[in-house]
Amino acid sequence: MKFSKNNTKLKKTIKLIKKLGLDLPTRYLVWGLPAFKAQGITMCPGAGACSGPCFARSGHYLFNRRKENEWDNYITTQDPRFLSMMNNELRELKPTIIRVHDSGDFYSERYFMQWILIADCNPNHTFYAYTKSWNETRYWRFLHENYQLPPNFELVYSYGGKHDDKLTAYNQNNPRPLPVSKIFKTEETLTAAGYIHSPTDIEAIRGLSKIGLVYHNNKHSRNFKWNEDGSLYNKTAA
């Protein structure tokens, strides 16, 4: 199991938790898989416009050791013992915030279901993830509609993928919308669109409804398609 602690946003998150005295763990770990595609295998089946500005395809994510660790993690998820191996690893830890995928995504329904079970088996830990894997996470929406979501796992659906239209339609037709996130050019455009600025991951961990993320690599922003409201291109406005 090759977890990472190299996550600036989560470091800020832990500092804020301590400062505000929030009822959340003050330790964190990050589980990552290869971003987008690796060795011919699709790791992010719902990726769309996000694949260009994806932060997990730049910087330290390009280091050989990082890529090797992510690939080793993927191989581990293919092991029939993955569920028990992960449970054994987490059982030894003090309460911890676990971000599932700072790179990669739920590449299959079976893999997603394993994380549901892992969260259920480890109630002392707090799990959260951003995802564009609409089809692979269908069971989550069943749990959501039946008020059976796990108390220690939050899932935030991100715009900028292949299934934006389905996400928008779902939230428009349900009294309890799914938490969503969207990337914007600036904090000003984010606020104008009705999203909550999220410089830390507190908002995702708590499952808030409309989370706005500012794209910081502005020198490359001209290379991507943006909506009129300043958000990263997506099929439907929401």
Side-chain angles (χ1 to χ4, degrees):
M1 300 294 178
K2 296 182 178 179
F3 288 98
S4 170
K5 290 186 177 180
N6 189 7
N7 190 293
T8 302
K9 194 171 186 181
L10 264 172
K11 290 177 181 177
K12 293 179 180 178
T13 301
I14 296 301
K15 287 183 179 180
L16 185 60
I17 290 171
K18 292 178 178 179
K19 180 179 179 180
L20 299 179
L22 302 178
D23 186 21
L24 288 168
T26 55
R27 300 167 179 263
Y28 78 88
L29 289 173
V30 180
W31 174 261
L33 299 179
F36 194 42
K37 293 182 180 180
Q39 301 191 32
I41 299 171
T42 298
M43 301 291 178
C44 301
C50 62
S51 62
C54 178
F55 67 89
R57 300 177 72 190
S58 63
H60 73 272
Y61 291 93
L62 299 181
F63 294 166
N64 287 336
R65 176 59 63 86
R66 173 76 195 206
K67 291 193 290 186
E68 289 170 2
N69 288 347
E70 290 172 348
W71 180 254
D72 286 347
N73 282 348
Y74 168 71
I75 295 300
T76 301
T77 68
Q78 295 291 295
D79 192 310
R81 300 168 297 169
F82 171 62
L83 182 60
S84 61
M85 291 165 66
M86 182 63 78
N87 284 337
N88 288 337
E89 183 89 7
L90 298 181
R91 193 173 294 123
E92 302 300 320
L93 300 179
K94 294 181 179 180
T96 301
I97 293 173
I98 298 169
R99 175 166 177 175
V100 185
H101 308 139
D102 62 336
S103 60
D105 206 338
F106 300 108
Y107 60 81
S108 71
E109 190 166 12
R110 177 179 178 275
Y111 173 58
F112 174 68
M113 293 296 293
Q114 287 178 312
W115 276 107
I116 295 286
L117 292 172
I118 290 167
D120 185 58
C121 292
N122 295 276
N124 58 317
H125 299 315
T126 298
F127 301 79
Y128 76 104
Y130 295 90
T131 187
K132 295 182 180 71
S133 296
W134 181 260
N135 296 328
E136 293 74 17
T137 60
R138 69 189 74 195
Y139 184 63
W140 184 266
R141 297 190 293 281
F142 169 81
L143 295 176
H144 183 265
E145 291 167 6
N146 290 278
Y147 294 84
Q148 296 177 0
L149 290 175
N152 62 328
F153 192 2
E154 291 290 349
L155 189 66
V156 178
Y157 283 88
S158 301
Y159 276 103
K162 295 178 181 177
H163 306 291
D164 293 341
D165 51 348
K166 295 176 182 178
L167 176 56
T168 296
Y170 181 96
N171 276 356
Q172 288 177 343
N173 294 317
N174 280 273
R176 292 177 63 240
L178 297 162
V180 298
S181 68
K182 188 183 287 190
I183 296 173
F184 291 83
K185 277 187 177 182
T186 66
E187 184 178 345
E188 289 73 24
T189 55
L190 177 160
T191 302
Y195 279 70
I196 300 170
H197 184 220
S198 181
T200 71
D201 269 351
I202 290 292
E203 290 77 14
I205 292 168
R206 288 184 158 178
L208 298 188
S209 58
K210 299 179 77 173
I211 299 170
L213 309 172
V214 177
Y215 181 64
H216 293 293
N217 200 355
N218 291 324
K219 66 180 181 180
H220 297 303
S221 64
R222 63 182 180 276
N223 298 328
F224 310 121
K225 190 173 181 179
W226 298 87
N227 294 322
E228 290 184 2
D229 66 354
S231 62
L232 182 66
Y233 174 77
N234 57 279
K235 294 180 181 179
T236 52

